[in-house]
Amino acid sequence: MPFKVLKNIALLSGAALALSGAAAADPDDNKLIIDGEEIATDAAAPEGSPFDRLYSGWRFRTSETQDLQADDFENPGFAAITLGEELWDTVEGSEGKSCASCHGDVSEGMKGVRANMPKWSEAAGKPQTLENHINTCRTDRMGADAWKWESEEMLAMTALVGLQSRGMPTSVQTDGPMQEWWEKGKDLYYTRVGQLDMACANCHEANFGKMIRADHLSQGQINGFPVYRLKWGGLGSIHRRFKGCMENVRAEPFKRGSDEFIALELYVASRGEGLSVETPSVRN
């Protein structure tokens, strides 16, 4: 049998064994308290959810990783917050404006914004992520260049904006013009892809809590993005995580900002309805 075929069989068998043989671990009972405020890391599952209860990925992490997120001085994601604050007040583009020119103080102007993303845009005729909204402001209102999806500037700004919603419950629109996109995202979530023939649901629904690659699988909630992953050594977007998951199952990933990933982001966000925004969260 050709080596490539043997290798693919080994990959398929290894993935199946890793999940089927792994011991499950319940989420811990620790409380995430930051500056005296408790952040909801569990919530009642919304109607139609496949879960009995929702749990943030924070509840599946090691105590050392949890401690990093619980202290803003220790949270490595806060280096990006400092940059984001500088960018917020920086005048750029042909219109001579900064973010603050239109939105004022970030703590007031951006409060609650992250909790409702993605959000329908009449102008675009489709849902827009936080990254989309930021670049629309830059190009249409400031006359500045758009930032790349995973650029240092974009991650800093999404982290800063997200921080203003920390502690607020996530809630996205799924009816009206969003319904078609939500259904598309749901279909993507349950579609098996790649050499390993796996869907998002195979890990984050059927096997959450099990150990794989020296880490516990979570429910795949996205309420903490952009997230500082110790593995990455920096912040990363939701779409970077989606791309990484697809690559892990040996599938051809969609592009960051693609309609497919926007639809998937909407659906996954709806699965976490009621969990608090944790931005910037820390994960293994």
Side-chain angles (χ1 to χ4, degrees), residues 189-203:
Y189 193 88
Y190 287 99
T191 297
R192 292 175 177 268
V193 295
Q195 289 181 340
L196 301 191
D197 191 36
M198 294 177 69
C200 307
N202 292 126
C203 284

Side-chain angles (χ1 to χ4, degrees), residues 4-67:
K4 186 175 182 179
V5 175
L6 287 170
K7 182 180 179 182
N8 289 344
I9 291 174
L11 287 170
L12 288 164
S13 301
L17 287 171
L19 291 176
S20 63
D26 292 328
D28 61 36
D29 295 324
N30 294 342
K31 303 292 185 182
L32 176 56
I33 300 174
I34 304 176
D35 290 337
E37 178 185 3
E38 182 173 343
I39 310 297
T41 56
D42 70 303
E47 183 178 355
S49 173
F51 302 118
D52 295 327
R53 192 163 184 82
L54 304 183
Y55 296 100
S56 162
W58 183 85
R59 296 280 290 274
F60 296 91
R61 304 285 68 85
T62 64
S63 59
E64 292 82 5
T65 302
Q66 290 180 340
D67 289 345

Side-chain angles (χ1 to χ4, degrees), residues 221-282:
Q221 307 292 358
I222 59 173
N223 54 304
F225 279 83
V227 59
Y228 189 100
R229 286 195 77 198
L230 302 178
K231 176 181 178 180
W232 294 339
L235 285 175
S237 71
I238 297 167
H239 292 197
R240 178 179 179 180
R241 193 71 208 95
F242 288 165
K243 181 175 181 289
C245 282
M246 292 192 73
E247 290 172 340
N248 286 343
V249 299
R250 311 298 191 266
E252 184 68 31
F254 302 114
K255 292 183 178 180
R256 296 177 179 89
S258 65
D259 284 354
E260 291 85 358
F261 274 172
I262 291 174
L264 185 59
E265 179 178 341
L266 172 64
Y267 176 68
V268 177
S270 76
R271 290 169 66 96
E273 180 101 7
L275 289 174
S276 290
V277 174
E278 295 179 24
T279 309
S281 63
V282 182

Side-chain angles (χ1 to χ4, degrees), residues 40-262:
T41 56
D42 70 303
E47 183 178 355
S49 173
F51 302 118
D52 295 327
R53 192 163 184 82
L54 304 183
Y55 296 100
S56 162
W58 183 85
R59 296 280 290 274
F60 296 91
R61 304 285 68 85
T62 64
S63 59
E64 292 82 5
T65 302
Q66 290 180 340
D67 289 345
L68 285 176
Q69 188 176 324
D71 186 338
D72 287 348
F73 288 101
E74 296 293 333
N75 186 333
F78 266 76
I81 299 297
T82 301
L83 173 59
E85 291 171 339
E86 295 173 3
L87 293 170
W88 183 262
D89 293 318
T90 299
V91 174
E92 282 190 84
S94 60
E95 301 304 305
K97 292 182 178 180
S98 66
C99 302
S101 300
C102 293
H103 301 290
D105 188 275
V106 67
S107 65
E108 293 297 326
M110 293 293 105
K111 187 175 182 179
V113 170
R114 169 67 177 86
N116 305 129
M117 292 290 170
K119 198 170 186 178
W120 181 258
S121 168
E122 287 292 345
K126 64 180 184 179
Q128 297 284 269
T129 66
L130 183 54
E131 290 87 349
N132 293 140
H133 282 285
I134 289 169
N135 271 339
T136 296
C137 280
R138 288 186 59 78
T139 57
D140 295 0
R141 298 176 186 174
M142 296 171 65
D145 292 336
W147 285 327
K148 292 184 178 180
W149 200 274
E150 215 70 35
S151 67
E152 183 182 27
E153 294 84 358
M154 180 64 83
L155 290 169
M157 188 59 69
T158 54
L160 176 66
V161 173
L163 177 64
Q164 312 316 312
S165 298
R166 190 169 68 181
M168 299 179 68
T170 58
S171 179
V172 293
Q173 180 187 357
T174 59
D175 58 2
M178 298 286 266
Q179 184 174 356
E180 180 182 353
W181 288 80
W182 182 87
E183 291 175 349
K184 179 179 180 179
K186 181 179 181 179
D187 183 62
L188 288 168
Y189 193 88
Y190 287 99
T191 297
R192 292 175 177 268
V193 295
Q195 289 181 340
L196 301 191
D197 191 36
M198 294 177 69
C200 307
N202 292 126
C203 284
H204 298 295
E205 185 173 314
N207 289 288
F208 79 88
K210 291 185 177 179
M211 181 71 77
I212 186 171
R213 284 152 135 211
D215 199 6
H216 284 111
L217 289 168
S218 71
Q219 290 180 343
Q221 307 292 358
I222 59 173
N223 54 304
F225 279 83
V227 59
Y228 189 100
R229 286 195 77 198
L230 302 178
K231 176 181 178 180
W232 294 339
L235 285 175
S237 71
I238 297 167
H239 292 197
R240 178 179 179 180
R241 193 71 208 95
F242 288 165
K243 181 175 181 289
C245 282
M246 292 192 73
E247 290 172 340
N248 286 343
V249 299
R250 311 298 191 266
E252 184 68 31
F254 302 114
K255 292 183 178 180
R256 296 177 179 89
S258 65
D259 284 354
E260 291 85 358
F261 274 172
I262 291 174

